[in-house]
Amino acid sequence: MIAYAARRLLSAVPLLFFLSLFVFLLFELMPADAAVISAGENATPEQIEQVRENLGLNEPLWSRYFDWAGGLLHGDLGTSLFSSQSVTSTILERLPVTASLALVSMVLVVLIGLPLGVMAARHPNSWLDRGLSSFASLCMSVPPFVLGLLLAVAFGILLPWFPPTGYTSVADGGISGWLSSLVLPAIAVAAVPIAELARQTRGSFLDVLGADHVRATRAKGMPEGSVVLKHGAKNAAVPIVTVLGLQVNRILGGSVTVEFVFALPGFGALAVRSVVQQDLPMVLGIVAVSAVIVVVVNILTDLSYGLLNPRMRR
Amino acid sequence: MRRRREMTIDEASGATRERRRLRERRGVRQFVANRAAVVSVCFLLALVLLAFLAPLVATHDPDEQNLLNKFQSPSAEHWLGADLYGRDLFSRLVYSSRVTLLAMLQGLAVASSLGITLGLIAGYAGGVADALLSRVSDAIMALPPMILALAIAGILGAGLTNAMIAIGVVLAPPQFRLARGAAQSVASETYIEACRAIGCSPGRILWRHVLPNISSPLLIQTTFAAGVIVIAEASLSFLGLGVQPPQSSWGVMLRAAFDSIYQAPWMVLAPTVMISLTILALSTFGDGLRDSLEGRGRTRSKRRRERVESAARSSV
């Protein structure tokens, strides 16, 4: 297992290196010029030239890349073009909000998606199964921010049960204030992942519960509950974990629009603001951080395969 | 002389043409039997018709302002009410379907031309080109699509075309992988070698002999990509990076509804319904296509793997 983990971790190194190169070059190819943006609208050509020199943009491409990538390794992503604040600290300030949103959504996804999927698999083609499948299709057709708008109107404005905008940290409003500011956005972000997880769970359990070894446990008189949980769950887990891992990607993407709708000061809202301002170092940092998050989650997913299924450790 | 020989080889590559025709007919029958898929096709056709006939269907000029009607709720005069400037929301909704179709065409054009062309080249040529292009495709797939699309669209500058270039780049990798795989797997087949021997250009080989092999998975992939584009257009326009007001799109209408959410919360409903129905229709259509084109000869575990993969692809 340790060898497997080490191999998996090492294989991420070239990917991360290539990702950093790709992202850097992508931004290099863009028509936006950091010096022009930073100097402001009424800058003279001399001023722009001065800013360019100050930002180090006259250095050759490769030396700028190594500067940036070297900083990345130290956790230094450069400085915002507008606030002269460090990109790293701005992102770190915002991450707890998004992490809270992701946490609450993930809890909803697992608590709702898994049981729904198992229930559908226990009674395939029943009205429950068909109803759940239609419900899942419907959930997947509403983009997160649209669902967010609907929820904000329904449960924030028409029925004022939850605050329609704003974020309350645990320090300010305690656990209940924190949670109530996150309920609506978390449902908006979680709806599609719930549907997807339920579908995947149903499929995996259907496969496993039809297998011979499960029939054998039933035949020897094992109670249905332990058949499903002990023999079903373990074998159905790998594809379910795969889909769960993919949802982190989805939640990160969904947070962009949903945080905007609910005015949550998180990572996604920062992305929108920086993109609108064309704050190049900030956008570059955001893309880099989200890439690292995704790569780390993928590694964790792969490691969990090793835990769940020893055959996969090879 | 050369021409005649080449014809025979073209025929040899489709030696089972008769069998293929029978299979196609069975596929069509299977698709028609799928009621949900047929309904979705009808909905999508109606949407195209609506876009073309927008001036006939709309009851008002979509940009005509009349401040007396500000935030008027739905009535006989304004079927879906009026917005902040008193513009008729029904007419705006109808005209917005044009933007959705345009966005789909642009986004798919970028995704397919990049993905398929580069994929065929990478798979056929192999070597350095393949290694490099595959790395780039992996890199794009490793990034959260929405964040990458947002970054590219924002830095190219706000506007529908730029937004669709961004989303096209993000959606290209699945097409790239399909095309690359197909080109790679047939590159060493005898009939390709025969084509090469009689002097077909690589372009012709890829176009006439490789591409037709993957036309059905590409079609399915394209349908799902269209759904992602509808979401992306709505999201980017909502954030102010896609379609620019006063031009209208469903995303722009949602933004207008969001900006006046306390005065006229019902404005959210109409664009929501249209966006969701369109996405639902596209995904149902895609499922129907997949079942009828690839329904046979697939094991359950393979289908499951495909589901996982398509979940990965469609995440924005």
Side-chain angles (χ1 to χ4, degrees):
Chain A
M1 185 64 202
I2 290 172
Y4 170 74
R7 228 173 17 241
R8 189 60 193 80
L9 280 174
L10 278 180
S11 76
V13 174
L15 176 65
L16 279 174
F17 167 73
F18 192 80
L19 264 177
S20 72
L21 191 63
F22 169 75
V23 170
F24 186 81
L25 288 179
L26 185 72
F27 278 74
E28 214 42 57
L29 287 173
M30 296 277 184
D33 184 344
V36 177
I37 295 166
S38 177
E41 271 174 29
N42 301 318
T44 60
E46 293 80 42
Q47 284 170 318
I48 292 177
E49 206 40 55
Q50 185 56 44
V51 173
R52 196 184 306 272
E53 191 60 45
N54 291 347
L55 289 173
L57 293 175
N58 285 332
E59 302 284 312
L61 184 65
W62 57 267
S63 99
R64 270 183 297 138
Y65 169 70
F66 282 112
D67 271 357
W68 180 74
L72 193 65
L73 289 178
H74 294 108
D76 172 17
L77 291 164
T79 315
S80 158
L81 289 184
F82 291 93
S83 61
S84 68
Q85 246 186 328
S86 123
V87 171
T88 315
S89 68
T90 314
I91 291 178
L92 284 180
E93 247 167 56
R94 302 291 197 116
L95 269 183
V97 180
T98 305
S100 309
L101 178 62
L103 178 73
V104 178
S105 325
M106 221 43 184
V107 169
L108 287 177
V109 171
V110 174
L111 285 188
I112 302 175
L114 270 183
L116 284 184
V118 176
M119 255 155 46
R122 291 280 306 280
H123 311 282
N125 296 321
S126 63
W127 62 268
L128 178 83
D129 183 24
R130 276 195 299 259
L132 283 178
S133 140
S134 319
F135 178 70
S137 302
L138 201 67
C139 274
M140 291 170 86
S141 311
V142 187
F145 78 99
V146 179
L147 183 60
L149 278 174
L150 288 179
L151 290 170
V153 168
F155 302 109
I157 295 171
L158 299 180
L159 301 168
W161 294 351
F162 298 102
T165 58
Y167 174 73
T168 315
S169 65
V170 179
D172 291 338
I175 296 282
S176 67
W178 172 75
L179 206 55
S180 77
S181 72
L182 284 173
V183 169
L184 296 182
I187 296 176
V189 171
V192 177
I194 287 174
E196 233 156 51
L197 185 70
R199 264 191 194 183
Q200 184 59 49
T201 309
R202 175 186 180 275
S204 309
F205 267 88
L206 266 185
D207 282 354
V208 173
L209 293 181
D212 285 341
H213 71 274
V214 173
R215 200 181 315 153
T217 58
R218 280 200 180 119
K220 72 172 188 188
M222 196 177 221
E224 185 63 20
S226 7
V227 171
V228 171
L229 290 180
K230 258 180 129 173
H231 295 268
K234 226 182 241 171
N235 287 296
V238 166
I240 293 174
V241 168
T242 310
V243 169
L244 214 52
L246 291 174
Q247 299 317 319
V248 172
N249 214 327
R250 222 173 239 276
I251 288 175
L252 257 183
S255 77
V256 171
T257 43
V258 170
E259 283 178 4
F260 182 80
V261 169
F262 288 95
L264 300 179
F267 186 70
L270 177 69
V272 174
R273 201 193 66 192
S274 326
V275 162
V276 170
Q277 289 179 331
Q278 299 217 315
D279 190 343
L280 293 172
M282 192 68 92
V283 179
L284 195 56
I286 286 166
V287 175
V289 168
S290 56
V292 171
I293 294 175
V294 171
V295 170
V296 168
V297 169
N298 285 345
I299 292 176
L300 291 179
T301 313
D302 279 5
L303 291 183
S304 75
Y305 292 163
L307 285 178
L308 291 167
N309 186 347
R311 271 179 304 181
M312 287 194 165
R313 284 177 207 167
R314 271 176 294 133
Chain B
M1 182 65 190
R2 186 189 143 202
R3 184 165 176 74
R4 237 184 68 209
R5 275 241 196 100
E6 202 182 321
M7 290 273 291
T8 22
I9 285 175
D10 276 352
E11 270 164 27
S13 81
T16 51
R17 195 160 285 175
E18 183 57 24
R19 217 184 307 159
R20 186 187 293 169
R21 198 175 301 139
L22 280 175
R23 204 171 58 207
E24 270 166 16
R25 208 171 295 159
R26 198 164 51 212
V28 169
R29 255 208 312 272
Q30 201 172 354
F31 186 84
V32 172
N34 183 343
R35 228 181 319 153
V38 174
V39 172
S40 339
V41 172
C42 293
F43 176 83
L44 293 171
L45 288 177
L47 193 65
V48 175
L49 214 60
L50 187 70
F52 275 104
L53 301 180
L56 297 178
V57 180
T59 51
H60 292 71
D61 177 348
D63 296 324
E64 188 189 73
Q65 303 190 3
N66 183 351
L67 294 176
L68 291 176
N69 291 333
K70 182 176 171 181
F71 293 138
Q72 201 186 77
S73 36
S75 63
E77 172 68 15
H78 295 290
W79 295 350
L80 296 174
D83 67 3
L84 171 67
Y85 303 105
R87 295 176 297 197
D88 181 54
L89 284 175
F90 174 72
S91 308
R92 286 181 77 71
L93 193 74
V94 169
Y95 272 92
S96 298
S97 57
R98 294 186 158 184
V99 177
T100 304
L101 286 190
L102 181 68
M104 258 190 238
L105 288 180
Q106 287 185 337
L108 288 179
V110 174
S112 303
S113 54
L114 274 179
I116 297 176
T117 320
L118 294 178
L120 287 176
I121 293 173
Y124 192 73
V128 183
D130 182 30
L132 206 65
L133 287 170
S134 297
R135 285 295 96 69
V136 171
S137 148
D138 287 349
I140 295 177
M141 285 181 104
L143 295 165
M146 188 63 209
I147 290 184
L148 186 60
L150 181 78
I152 300 179
I155 286 165
L156 286 177
L160 180 65
T161 306
N162 285 344
M164 288 306 119
I165 291 175
I167 202 70
V169 170
V170 174
L171 288 176
Q175 316 249 22
F176 170 85
R177 283 169 68 154
L178 249 169
R180 173 176 174 270
Q184 216 168 27
S185 69
V186 298
S188 53
E189 294 276 344
T190 324
Y191 71 91
I192 298 292
E193 214 172 308
C195 284
R196 232 181 344 223
I198 59 170
C200 282
S201 68
R204 183 185 167 84
I205 293 177
L206 292 174
W207 186 251
R208 295 260 343 226
H209 301 281
V210 177
L211 198 57
N213 280 331
I214 47 166
S215 56
S216 46
L218 273 180
L219 188 64
I220 297 162
Q221 183 60 53
T222 304
T223 321
F224 289 123
V228 179
I229 290 175
V230 174
I231 303 179
E233 185 278 319
S235 308
L236 291 175
S237 297
F238 178 76
L239 295 174
L241 292 164
V243 175
Q244 295 300 301
Q247 212 200 350
S248 173
S249 85
W250 295 337
V252 171
M253 291 181 75
L254 279 175
R255 177 57 181 268
F258 175 63
D259 289 339
S260 45
I261 200 165
Y262 289 99
Q263 293 93 331
W266 42 265
M267 273 171 63
V268 172
L269 283 179
T272 299
V273 171
M274 287 309 283
I275 290 175
S276 307
L277 281 182
T278 308
I279 297 168
L280 186 63
L282 283 168
S283 70
T284 315
F285 176 48
D287 284 339
L289 268 184
R290 183 167 56 193
D291 290 346
S292 62
L293 289 173
E294 296 184 343
R296 290 159 308 282
R298 289 185 316 154
T299 58
R300 196 188 251 173
S301 68
K302 183 167 177 219
R303 233 174 301 166
R304 195 177 64 196
R305 202 166 52 237
E306 281 165 6
R307 257 209 311 276
V308 174
E309 278 167 8
S310 79
R313 272 187 234 125
S314 63
S315 59
V316 154

